[in-house]
Amino acid sequence: MAVNVYLWASLKKFTNDKDILKIEATTIGELVSVLRRDFPGLKPFLDSGISFAINGELSNPNSNETIPDEAEIYIMQKLKGG
Amino acid sequence: MAKDDITKSFKFIGTRPNRPDGFEKVTGRAKYGADISAVGMLHGAVLRSPYAHARIKSINFEKAAKLDGVKAIITRDDFPKDREGEPLKLLENTIAGEIAYYDGHAIAAVAATSVFTAKEALKEIEVEYEVLPHVIDVDEAMKPDAPIVRENAGDFSVPEGSSPNVASYIEFGRGDIANGFDKADIVKSGLFKTEAAHQGYIEPHACMAQLDHNGQGEMWVCTQGHWYIRQMCSEVLGLEASKLCVTPSEIGGGFGGKTTIFIEPLALALSKKSGGRPVKIVMSRSEVLRATGPTASASMDVKIGMTKDGYLTAGCVEFRMQGGAFGGSPVSEALQCAFASYNMDAVHHIGFDVLANRPRAAAYRAPGSPMAAFAVESLIDEMCTDLNLDPIDVRLKNAVAEGSKSSYGPKFKKIGLIETLEATKEHPNYSIELGVNQGRGVAAGYWMNHGGETSVSVSLAEDGSVNVSVGTPDIGGSRASIALMTAETYGIPYDSVRVNILETGALGFNEPTHGSRATLASGKAVYEAANQTIAEMCTRVAKKWQIDPDAVYWENGYAKPAGPNAGDFSPISIKQIASEMDQTGGPIAGHHEASIRGVGHSFGVHIADVEVDPETGRVTVLRYLVAQDAGRAVHPSYVEGQFQGGAVQGIGWALNEEYVYGEDGCLQNAAFLDYRIPVASDLPNIDTIIVEVPNPDHPFGVRGVGETGIAPPLPALANAVAAATKVRLRSLPMSPTKVLKALKTGNDGC
Amino acid sequence: MNKIHVKTNINGDQVEFLADPRETLLDCLRDHVGLTGSKEGCGTGDCGACSCIFDGDLVSSCLVLGVEAEGKSIETIEGMAGREELHPLQKKFIEMAALQCGFCTPGILVAAKALLEKNNNPTETEVRYWLAGNLCRCTGYDKIIKAVMETAKDIRETA
């Protein structure tokens, strides 16, 4: 199942100039694997600590998490707070 | 929904009982970081760089070591040499290697039998420095001829040709910006600047650590997050994490500044070197200001388009923030907050995380959001003035709501900005008449809030009271809110719940009390754990009644038969179940571990009324109102407390607080006399409105509330000063000298 | 440096300790007498977290030398509550949530008690200026001031 993954524009140089990627994946773990495989330039970003927003809900990554159908997925820098 | 409609349905949530730890705190019995001592304890002191940037050519501590009472001296040589990535940055900031990167950077440390001996020993340590050029200001640091703070600092994100002091770069946005500005009736731009501020917690960092040669250690420390302390110290020192047991003391304020390490690895290393004696280190106030983690300073360009009836058509921002010598300024969070309150089709954001010879920035209450709010909310206010539009009406026209696409991408779930704006507009403060030299400013603010890793347990005591074990230190009353949620879940009196904050060995990983998460995340986890025990109690009672467990339900502290068909049984109390538990199967307890989701964003709107003295430039705050969406106020007094505390920190940042550096790159105001935080006589009462738009993803509707309150004051006060004086300041703080200059010359401070 | 034998009265008890002449009264209370309720927030007399009563005067104990305590009478936060009951200010602070982290609270309570003993009908402005030497970073002072005013009212009504 294909989902839309939104990345920040500053990462376009690693994704063939696209900031919206259509990725086939059923779990978060699969999604990240596909990104690493297809866009190796994203490795440092993915390693730096990321947060996901899945249909608007912010969360820490959980590789076992199933991606809902038609999910809107944003990948951002890890959020914390003070 | 009106507050009363919601809270009527709860028995405990929304009430204002005494906090369970009040007695210890008002009698001086509560133990904070420096309130501990141990047999054989040594005192640690830290030698710090007097230069903003210097190569350390040699360190000779022979003379110091000979002083009677000196038991250990450490330098970077006493730490692992193979650290990489974030652990290396932490290590570098903890103690300098070849280079001192900022005034106050730790160079060496001594443990001795008395504080005086330790300090005398510092004077005997001979350090040869080669002073290097330094850079302090964020825009200066980006100039082509700026001194390079660290070689190869730029990461994968930095575009080619960027200044060598740019550590990382962010860009995101959507829509057709050019078209957006074309559609606008007015387009306005501005440069806005904020200076670094310190979280200003009254308790300096303090810890007592003990580490033996087997790598087994203990630490008592004031911290917002003891698992982070354990993880960071283990990473920096190359220890096995579970061999280090960290116990949190009570904490005298943190606001983000105590979510990381400073003196803790030094205390452990000194302890090990002294043969395993406990070592206590307490920072002085000047050390806290010079060498912990203030927030970033920022230089921000904003451009906004608005139609003449107040609709925002496009917005562009470029934020440049310095977070010290190791990067990590909150520029991406700042960008996310910049337009977050508004529906805008076309937005573009650029951010630079820039290095400077300053201490490594740590989080400070909604990191990045206050700076962004200052820039964007000030410019919007300028445009409202230009177009003669009501500032709250303009915000209402553009306000995001459920389903809106946020400026940083994801769609919003249920949020309460509109309700908060409406509540603010209706409040009497909005229509009080103002006098000469007085002005009113309005501003909105936003923080995402955070869930994060949480691990709790709940158990029944023999007398039917409930013990709750959490890992989130209590900074501002979360024991009370967690106890209220527990009482509500069981239907038992608030006083029969005891909340304890346990050390690292007792629970799974817990993220710190940061991100406004303690009440939300620990609360949600406790709800789950409590329900496990309720299910177990119902099962035991079902067995006693010899009926199906599904035929027993829990209400108001009792197990009850589900209906007349279940049988004619008298309800059994939690007290009775607990008194028999050793005979019915043993202890009854529950636990819950999760990366908590379902965070609710919190929007706030503030109104500030000021009077500006045209002779002195002094800004007096006459009246201040905080309205903010709490989702559900579990303990309204402590929610109000967060609103008020955040607002006053913002007021301080807007009017007084800044890091002042000399030509030599050294901090000039490293004491509370000149790093002037608000005092009681500076302020009026801080009025509050708790708006409740419950968070649908939390069992009690809770949204984090702690952080949002610090963002709106920066622009609210700038807007109020502009209204009072007809002169716009775009640089903070609006200290009397700056205000006077603006009054005389129209200079905006930038 | 030789230590000096100090004999003093703290919270009604006769106390003795050996003080390094460089130590402050705050150091001695915390390290030699075990009274850690008074806190060090700044060491320079700016924050008031170390507030104590020294022979009837409200002082920042970080600005008093330990040896100056000889023959004097000192009151700290630990002496504020009665055996059976908290002081009205302490009770009110808890009821009105006038503390969050609690670090500044001992100093503020000692200072507020000194005010109400001198003047049990202060205006809000008088309370704010009296407490201007006690920094709080958590509460924004609002509930603290209200708690002091309410306690003053209660004291006047029961007098």
Side-chain angles (χ1 to χ4, degrees):
Chain A
M1 168 203 50
V3 287
N4 285 327
V5 177
Y6 298 80
L7 293 172
W8 282 352
S10 37
L11 299 170
K12 281 203 292 203
K13 59 185 176 182
F14 304 118
T15 57
N16 304 322
D17 215 38
K18 289 192 276 215
D19 53 9
I20 306 175
L21 303 172
K22 243 184 168 44
I23 306 282
E24 286 276 348
T26 48
T27 65
I28 292 292
E30 262 179 51
L31 187 138
V32 173
S33 296
V34 170
L35 288 173
R36 284 184 189 276
R37 181 194 70 206
D38 293 350
F39 308 104
L42 284 179
K43 178 178 180 339
F45 167 66
L46 296 169
D47 289 346
S48 68
I50 50 179
S51 289
F52 285 81
I54 303 172
N55 291 333
E57 202 180 313
L58 293 170
S59 67
N60 287 352
N62 176 359
S63 56
N64 297 320
E65 185 173 351
T66 315
I67 300 176
D69 281 337
E70 315 286 311
E72 167 206 73
I73 300 183
Y74 276 82
I75 308 182
M76 300 169 293
Q77 260 172 283
K78 192 170 166 72
L79 299 167
K80 277 183 249 178
Chain B
M1 257 198 269
K3 184 173 185 301
D4 287 337
D5 289 342
I6 303 165
T7 53
K8 259 193 204 121
S9 62
F10 287 117
K11 229 172 132 176
F12 301 101
I13 287 183
T15 61
R16 300 176 188 249
N18 289 346
R19 63 191 283 173
D21 55 339
F23 180 84
E24 301 91 283
K25 293 196 163 142
V26 300
T27 54
R29 255 168 249 208
K31 296 277 176 247
Y32 293 82
D35 295 338
I36 197 170
S37 59
V39 171
M41 184 175 80
L42 301 172
H43 298 267
V46 183
L47 182 68
R48 299 185 178 278
S49 168
Y51 300 109
H53 197 191
R55 183 174 307 283
I56 299 166
K57 296 179 82 174
S58 66
I59 305 178
N60 186 336
F61 49 81
E62 264 180 58
K63 273 198 221 155
K66 292 199 178 97
L67 286 185
D68 191 34
V70 170
K71 300 298 178 189
I73 302 183
I74 56 167
T75 63
R76 178 63 169 273
D77 287 339
D78 294 284
F79 290 80
K81 306 208 185 329
D82 59 352
R83 305 292 95 178
E84 288 177 343
E86 178 64 19
L88 176 59
K89 281 191 188 153
L90 281 171
L91 172 57
E92 277 278 6
N93 193 46
T94 298
I95 188 162
E98 289 174 11
I99 310 255
Y101 288 106
Y102 54 91
D103 164 40
H105 197 172
I107 308 289
V110 173
T113 48
S114 82
V115 176
F116 294 115
T117 305
K119 286 185 182 165
E120 273 164 36
L122 293 187
K123 291 187 200 151
E124 300 297 320
I125 299 178
E126 292 162 344
V127 184
E128 208 187 322
Y129 294 101
E130 178 198 330
V131 179
L132 301 169
H134 64 270
V135 63
I136 296 293
D137 178 76
V138 62
D139 287 331
E140 289 296 317
M142 286 184 73
K143 288 190 175 154
D145 53 351
I148 296 177
V149 177
R150 278 191 14 257
E151 299 289 343
N152 304 314
D155 70 12
F156 63 91
S157 62
V158 178
E160 265 193 53
S162 299
S163 148
N165 287 326
V166 173
S168 73
Y169 172 82
I170 301 146
E171 186 181 347
F172 64 93
R174 64 162 178 266
D176 185 339
I177 295 289
N179 180 253
F181 285 131
D182 280 340
K183 285 198 301 208
D185 291 311
I186 64 168
V187 176
K188 200 156 181 143
S189 309
L191 169 66
F192 294 85
K193 292 189 177 181
T194 63
E195 192 32 81
H198 194 274
Q199 301 83 352
Y201 32 82
I202 310 300
E203 179 200 26
H205 297 252
C207 71
M208 187 180 75
Q210 186 272 323
L211 180 63
D212 65 32
H213 288 285
N214 297 324
Q216 205 128 280
E218 288 186 305
M219 185 183 295
W220 165 272
V221 57
C222 59
T223 177
Q224 291 171 243
H226 35 310
W227 277 267
Y228 269 21
I229 300 281
R230 184 181 78 174
Q231 178 174 32
M232 293 177 184
C233 285
S234 310
E235 285 174 350
V236 163
L237 290 163
L239 302 174
E240 220 178 285
S242 54
K243 281 186 169 169
L244 177 59
C245 183
V246 184
T247 302
S249 68
E250 293 302 318
I251 174 175
F255 315 110
K258 289 182 180 163
T259 57
T260 182
I261 51 174
F262 297 105
I263 47 172
E264 295 79 3
L266 301 176
L268 286 164
L270 283 168
S271 174
K272 184 168 173 203
K273 204 156 186 192
S274 74
R277 287 175 73 162
V279 174
K280 180 175 178 180
I281 303 184
V282 181
M283 281 181 122
S284 69
R285 178 54 52 184
S286 78
E287 283 183 291
V288 171
L289 289 166
R290 284 166 78 209
T292 57
T295 189
S297 57
S299 174
M300 302 172 280
D301 289 308
V302 190
K303 183 175 173 184
I304 297 178
M306 192 186 277
T307 65
K308 60 181 185 303
D309 46 357
Y311 286 94
L312 296 168
T313 60
C316 280
V317 288
E318 180 184 295
F319 288 176
R320 298 168 292 279
M321 288 188 167
Q322 71 71 30
F326 300 97
S329 74
V331 64
S332 67
E333 292 92 323
L335 293 177
Q336 283 176 258
C337 293
F339 295 119
S341 301
Y342 306 117
N343 276 314
M344 291 167 77
D345 290 329
V347 283
H348 190 240
H349 311 75
I350 290 179
F352 293 93
D353 179 20
V354 183
L355 303 187
N357 290 108
R358 296 169 76 151
R360 186 179 202 201
Y364 179 14
R365 204 165 201 158
S369 181
M371 299 82 144
F374 173 60
V376 172
E377 292 287 300
S378 291
L379 195 63
I380 289 179
D381 190 72
E382 292 184 40
M383 297 167 91
C384 290
T385 305
D386 290 346
L387 293 170
N388 201 21
L389 296 170
D390 177 275
I392 296 187
D393 286 340
V394 165
R395 285 168 175 83
L396 278 165
K397 282 185 167 152
N398 295 283
V400 286
E402 186 171 6
S404 299
K405 196 167 166 57
S406 67
S407 57
Y408 53 95
K411 283 206 188 76
F412 280 116
K413 299 180 94 180
K414 195 162 178 63
I415 50 175
L417 173 58
I418 289 175
E419 291 84 342
T420 307
L421 285 163
E422 284 168 349
T424 309
K425 193 173 177 185
E426 280 163 26
H427 193 278
N429 279 23
Y430 198 50
S431 28
I432 293 178
E433 273 209 32
L434 294 166
V436 167
N437 294 324
Q438 295 182 358
R440 174 165 299 143
V442 172
Y446 167 72
W447 188 245
M448 289 76 80
N449 293 328
H450 186 56
E453 293 178 87
T454 308
S455 172
V456 306
S457 77
V458 171
S459 65
L460 239 54
E462 319 79 88
D463 60 358
S465 62
V466 174
N467 287 317
V468 177
S469 301
V470 300
T472 39
D474 184 350
I475 300 188
S478 51
R479 277 186 184 94
S481 59
I482 291 166
L484 280 166
M485 288 185 281
T486 309
E488 193 72 52
T489 305
Y490 284 103
I492 58 175
Y494 167 80
D495 285 330
S496 60
V497 179
R498 176 110 200 132
V499 179
N500 295 306
I501 296 148
L502 300 195
E503 76 276 16
T504 53
L507 291 168
F509 195 94
N510 276 279
E511 280 195 40
T513 299
H514 67 174
S516 306
R517 64 178 291 272
T519 296
L520 175 116
S522 285
K524 197 170 185 183
V526 167
Y527 171 79
E528 297 294 332
N531 277 315
Q532 287 169 17
T533 65
I534 288 173
E536 174 63 18
M537 287 192 285
C538 288
T539 301
R540 296 211 187 176
V541 169
K543 288 194 178 136
K544 192 184 181 117
W545 291 338
Q546 295 182 332
I547 61 177
D548 200 85
D550 291 341
V552 180
Y553 80 106
W554 189 267
E555 189 184 54
N556 285 333
Y558 285 84
K560 300 180 176 178
N565 291 339
D568 183 21
F569 298 107
S570 292
I572 300 186
S573 71
I574 189 173
K575 204 168 170 154
Q576 192 180 336
I577 296 169
S579 68
E580 295 170 356
M581 54 183 178
D582 59 332
Q583 319 226 357
T584 59
I588 297 177
H591 62 95
H592 189 73
E593 306 73 42
S595 199
I596 296 287
R597 306 270 291 269
V599 166
H601 308 304
S602 184
F603 287 88
V605 181
H606 295 197
I607 305 177
D609 287 352
V610 304
E611 183 172 309
V612 182
D613 184 333
E615 278 186 53
T616 62
R618 185 198 167 136
V619 177
T620 303
V621 182
L622 301 169
R623 224 165 276 115
Y624 202 93
L625 174 68
V626 175
Q628 189 179 329
D629 176 17
R632 177 102 62 220
V634 174
H635 192 310
S637 303
Y638 291 105
V639 171
E640 289 158 359
Q642 291 302 314
F643 290 2
Q644 293 165 331
V648 170
Q649 283 183 312
I651 290 171
W653 196 342
L655 297 182
N656 293 339
E657 295 175 43
E658 60 177 322
Y659 265 46
V660 178
Y661 282 91
E663 287 290 309
D664 55 0
C666 293
L667 185 63
Q668 302 296 297
N669 58 339
F672 273 145
L673 184 64
D674 295 312
Y675 183 83
R676 171 73 161 64
I677 72 175
V679 305
S681 51
D682 291 333
L683 299 161
N685 287 335
I686 309 291
D687 300 321
T688 58
I689 307 174
I690 300 179
V691 174
E692 287 184 322
V693 176
N695 173 8
D697 295 324
H698 190 275
F700 302 112
V702 166
R703 293 178 194 274
V705 297
E707 291 172 282
T708 299
I710 196 176
L714 278 64
L717 286 161
N719 296 343
V721 168
T725 62
K726 309 291 178 261
V727 175
R728 170 64 62 169
L729 272 151
R730 290 176 169 180
S731 153
L732 296 182
M734 294 180 289
S735 53
T737 25
K738 230 187 233 166
V739 171
L740 263 186
K741 189 170 174 191
L743 289 174
K744 291 199 168 101
T745 66
N747 184 299
D748 68 0
C750 282
Chain C
M1 210 172 272
N2 281 335
K3 297 215 166 118
I4 295 180
H5 185 202
V6 176
K7 278 192 191 158
T8 183
N9 186 295
I10 304 179
N11 298 327
D13 294 330
Q14 285 297 108
V15 172
E16 297 177 45
F17 53 84
L18 288 172
D20 182 304
R22 296 168 289 184
E23 282 181 302
T24 63
L25 174 59
L26 179 64
D27 292 333
C28 294
L29 287 169
R30 290 176 54 79
D31 299 337
H32 302 315
V33 192
L35 295 174
T36 56
S38 307
K39 309 295 183 198
E40 180 161 322
C42 69
T44 51
D46 295 309
C47 76
C50 65
S51 298
C52 290
I53 305 294
F54 184 82
D55 256 20
D57 289 326
L58 179 64
V59 299
S60 291
S61 58
C62 72
L63 295 181
V64 179
L65 290 174
V67 296
E68 291 184 70
E70 174 69 35
K72 303 282 192 240
S73 155
I74 296 167
E75 293 163 49
T76 71
I77 182 67
E78 287 91 345
M80 193 159 163
R83 262 194 211 189
E84 312 271 324
E85 266 203 343
L86 293 175
H87 186 280
L89 275 168
Q90 289 171 311
K91 274 193 244 171
K92 196 64 79 175
F93 267 50
I94 298 176
E95 276 163 32
M96 292 183 69
L99 61 142
Q100 286 181 32
C101 80
F103 193 76
C104 72
T105 305
I108 290 197
L109 284 168
V110 169
K113 177 168 177 267
L115 170 64
L116 296 186
E117 282 170 359
K118 201 170 118 110
N119 171 9
N120 73 358
N121 195 4
T123 63
E124 184 190 323
T125 304
E126 282 173 327
V127 176
R128 286 185 175 275
Y129 274 86
W130 183 271
L131 291 179
N134 290 82
L135 300 183
C136 172
R137 197 56 160 167
C138 294
T139 66
Y141 305 101
D142 183 289
K143 291 180 189 294
I144 291 174
I145 305 300
K146 285 175 176 150
V148 175
M149 299 290 290
E150 275 299 301
T151 310
K153 186 160 162 252
D154 289 348
I155 288 176
R156 290 193 304 273
E157 281 167 7
T158 52

